Amino acid sequence: MPHPKTVENMIKCAGPVECALLPSLIHVTEAAAIAASYQMGKGNKNYADQVSVEAMRRMMNTLDFKGVIKIGEGERDEAPMLFIGEEVGTGKGDIVVDIAVDPLEGTNLTADGIPGSISVMAMAEPGGLFHGPDVYMDKIVVGPDVVRYEKEHPDEKIDLDAPIIKNLEIVAKALERDIGEIVVVILERDRHKNMIEEIRATGARVNLVSDGDLMPGVSTAIRGSGIHVVMGSGGSGEAVLTAAAIKILGGKVLARLVLPTVANGGSEEEIAEEKAEKMPRLATMGITEDNINDILDTDKLVPGTDFIFAASGVTSGQFLNQVNLFGGGNARVHSICMGSSGVVKLTDSIYIGDKEQTPLRL
Ligand code: VTB
Ligand code: MG
Ligand code: MG
């Protein structure tokens, strides 16, 4: 990699999407995060979700672009807003984008006031995001050190189908530490019972989370986060959003679609029923019985080259604090906002609603 000769080489945009929309993106996730944070710990996850969806949509619709929700709150008939196919933005200007949103990733976490919930989204040039159907993805996420190690050792690659011990050995070697020092995040679900046992059998440390495997995935690419691997099946939208961040930060995601009934050990009848319901829609996305089991890598999940990602903390997390509210409409919110040119902004935003109750403190 040549050293940048000028700062102009360093500070640039990947393309029109990043140039036009990166500065505004955190306003969208922060609006959603602040709205959700007022519902923290109130035990009503649906309402927390609703207010964050509304705030995200309202803020997005003030921005000049033509956007289509590709990963959203569900199909049009089940989600009133930010449904798949909804057009957003003012429609003014030349910027056209595909959008992935999760206005409140971790609704239970917010409702219970426990760590790990965020507002998150990505935008890319049309076709830039894999818009999988509403099924799970089996996945493994690792950070940039592992990718470097794989390049140096072409026979040792992370593989979704490899025994867990093999994958964790590679991660441990890449990070120059013992397996016993590796931390694997996985959703605490019955479907992961065997996988959790297998991880434990390697000696690796396990961080079970009740919800929210997206930000832990991003954290694998951030030194000091204390997270090295994310495994298991979770939402496919979450996997694509993770991949957008990982494609910017380095690291890799391997994923494969899996029907929820299959992941959760459903009966043959239930599996057949779900297939009958989902396969026709999957077919419209080019997904058939023949290729549904293909492994998707980071570039397949996010084929785009001009894309942006933002996440704002709602409750506290690995590196995003919870929203602080100070009275008078004053709020403080932490975000990470990134562009595919290779820029990461870690921001600490203070919104002053009432100057007499300044929320500004060091
Ligand atoms: C997954 C995970 C998310 O919800 O989608 C999970 O990726 C839902 O899984 O981070 P279950 O159907 O097993 O509950 C989250 O944890 C939160 O949106
Ligand atoms: Mg959601
Ligand atoms: Mg979610």
Side-chain angles (χ1 to χ4, degrees):
M1 179 76 80
H3 199 275
K5 284 200 206 82
T6 63
V7 288
E8 286 74 17
N9 281 348
M10 197 187 280
I11 304 176
K12 56 188 189 295
C13 285
V17 174
E18 185 180 329
C19 278
L21 295 172
L22 183 66
S24 316
L25 200 64
I26 58 165
H27 296 158
V28 180
T29 53
E30 292 192 345
I34 293 169
S37 77
Y38 278 96
Q39 302 309 318
M40 186 181 105
K42 297 198 173 164
N44 191 341
K45 66 173 189 154
N46 292 336
Y47 188 62
D49 201 27
Q50 184 192 324
V51 294
S52 63
V53 168
E54 287 168 357
M56 176 173 275
R57 183 168 176 269
R58 266 200 312 274
M59 188 59 74
M60 201 154 40
N61 281 338
T62 66
L63 305 178
D64 289 341
F65 68 93
K66 297 184 186 77
V68 182
I69 302 292
K70 296 290 182 177
I71 294 172
E73 290 298 288
E75 303 289 344
R76 179 194 298 265
D77 48 0
E78 68 200 36
M81 290 178 195
L82 300 182
F83 52 81
I84 297 158
E86 183 176 0
E87 292 179 8
V88 290
T90 61
K92 290 188 200 140
D94 311 324
I95 310 291
V96 183
V97 288
D98 280 357
I99 304 174
V101 298
D102 201 346
L104 186 53
E105 154 63 1
T107 52
N108 289 313
L109 302 175
T110 299
D112 294 342
I114 52 179
S117 59
I118 54 169
S119 297
V120 58
M121 67 186 296
M123 291 184 175
E125 79 267 30
L129 301 167
F130 177 87
H131 40 102
D134 184 20
V135 299
Y136 292 140
M137 273 183 180
D138 233 342
K139 65 176 172 295
I140 182 162
V141 191
V142 292
D145 292 292
V146 178
V147 175
R148 181 184 35 73
Y149 183 86
E150 286 183 341
K151 280 204 185 117
E152 291 163 4
H153 304 82
D155 298 339
E156 297 178 61
K157 281 199 182 333
I158 298 293
D159 178 352
L160 208 49
D161 293 323
I164 285 172
I165 178 85
K166 280 254 171 354
N167 285 330
L168 295 186
E169 271 168 2
I170 293 172
V171 175
K173 281 190 267 179
L175 291 169
E176 297 181 325
R177 58 189 86 180
D178 294 337
I179 288 194
E181 293 169 321
I182 298 298
V183 174
V184 182
V185 171
I186 182 165
L187 285 169
E188 187 171 18
R189 295 290 186 277
D190 283 347
R191 64 176 179 271
H192 292 154
K193 242 179 155 181
N194 293 341
M195 200 179 246
I196 293 166
E197 285 318 309
E198 260 185 78
I199 300 167
R200 287 181 173 149
T202 69
R205 296 183 293 160
V206 183
N207 182 349
L208 297 177
V209 291
S210 62
D211 262 311
D213 61 359
L214 193 165
M215 221 43 192
V218 178
S219 301
T220 62
I222 300 176
R223 280 268 174 154
S225 67
I227 294 176
H228 310 111
V229 187
V230 172
M231 282 185 188
S233 53
S236 56
E238 281 84 348
V240 172
L241 282 159
T242 305
I246 288 289
K247 188 161 167 173
I248 297 171
L249 293 171
K252 78 183 213 180
V253 184
L254 295 176
R256 176 163 45 207
L257 291 165
V258 35
L259 295 171
T261 45
V262 176
N264 289 316
S267 66
E268 268 181 41
E269 264 178 8
E270 286 165 329
I271 292 172
E273 203 177 301
E274 193 179 8
K275 277 196 177 161
E277 183 210 321
K278 297 238 162 95
M279 288 315 288
R281 174 153 135 60
L282 292 176
T284 66
M285 299 181 184
I287 297 157
T288 61
E289 294 268 6
D290 288 342
N291 63 14
I292 193 168
N293 292 325
D294 287 0
I295 291 180
L296 303 162
D297 62 12
T298 319
D299 285 325
K300 291 232 177 72
L301 295 166
V302 181
T305 55
D306 180 16
F307 62 93
I308 54 181
F309 170 100
S312 301
V314 177
T315 57
S316 60
Q318 271 85 32
F319 55 90
L320 299 175
N321 291 355
Q322 71 169 17
V323 173
N324 285 322
L325 301 170
F326 302 94
N330 293 323
R332 184 170 193 170
V333 48
H334 279 218
S335 299
I336 181 169
C337 185
M338 308 189 254
S340 55
S341 68
V343 55
V344 183
K345 300 177 190 229
L346 290 162
T347 61
D348 178 2
S349 305
I350 291 162
Y351 294 103
I352 300 174
D354 177 357
K355 294 189 188 67
E356 286 168 23
Q357 294 189 54
T358 180
L360 195 57
R361 67 198 73 193
L362 295 175

